[in-house]
Amino acid sequence: QVQLVESGGGLVQPGGSLRLSCAASGIIFSIDAMGWYRQAPGKQRELVAAISRSGNTNYADSVKGRFTISRDNAKKMVYLQMNMLQSADTAVYSCNADIKVLYSSQVRDFWGQGTQVTVSS
């Protein structure tokens, strides 16, 4: 019905950069907020960054100044540019979106399958 598919994860050295992408597909009428979450081993999932349809953003304090979230509404995509990566950023990163499905009056919460980001020398 609706899918979110992430790409761009991998292994990077401390201080390096990665760009995550998330593509939404399916019978979508509209997409409201989109965001990136992460979950490290033994820790709870946390919000990394979120962006509204109009482009307003918010970030976790731990990534402010290093990560940038953006979106392309026409392509139904959201991105996360991650710079100055640290070992503490190692986690599975998941895309999230509030989507109104075609022919439905409800906005539902959808998740991608996640992509691993490992920061290590």
Side-chain angles (χ1 to χ4, degrees), residues 73-106:
N73 290 332
K75 294 182 178 179
K76 299 184 181 65
M77 294 195 69
V78 63
Y79 308 96
L80 185 68
Q81 178 66 43
M82 304 185 293
N83 299 327
M84 296 182 287
L85 283 159
Q86 307 166 354
S87 57
D89 297 317
T90 295
V92 174
Y93 285 70
S94 298
C95 172
N96 170 267
D98 295 330
I99 296 175
K100 189 172 182 180
V101 176
L102 201 60
Y103 307 126
S104 172
S105 60
Q106 293 181 322

Side-chain angles (χ1 to χ4, degrees), residues 5-12 17-22 36 80 82 85 91-94 113-119:
V5 179
E6 301 101 335
S7 60
L11 173 64
V12 64
S17 298
L18 280 176
R19 188 189 193 217
L20 304 183
S21 300
C22 173
W36 290 94
L80 185 68
M82 304 185 293
L85 283 159
V92 174
Y93 285 70
S94 298
Q113 82 287 352
T115 185
Q116 177 70 45
V117 171
T118 302
V119 184

Side-chain angles (χ1 to χ4, degrees), residues 25-86:
S25 63
I27 49 171
I28 296 170
F29 178 76
S30 63
I31 303 176
D32 294 337
M34 304 183 82
W36 290 94
Y37 288 73
R38 68 185 181 187
Q39 186 167 22
K43 294 189 176 181
Q44 287 191 331
R45 184 168 59 192
E46 62 172 349
L47 173 68
V48 176
I51 184 167
S52 70
R53 182 172 178 81
S54 61
N56 293 320
T57 60
N58 67 284
Y59 297 91
D61 287 343
S62 59
V63 308
K64 282 180 182 176
R66 301 188 298 121
F67 290 11
T68 302
I69 189 170
S70 60
R71 64 189 283 174
D72 185 325
N73 290 332
K75 294 182 178 179
K76 299 184 181 65
M77 294 195 69
V78 63
Y79 308 96
L80 185 68
Q81 178 66 43
M82 304 185 293
N83 299 327
M84 296 182 287
L85 283 159
Q86 307 166 354

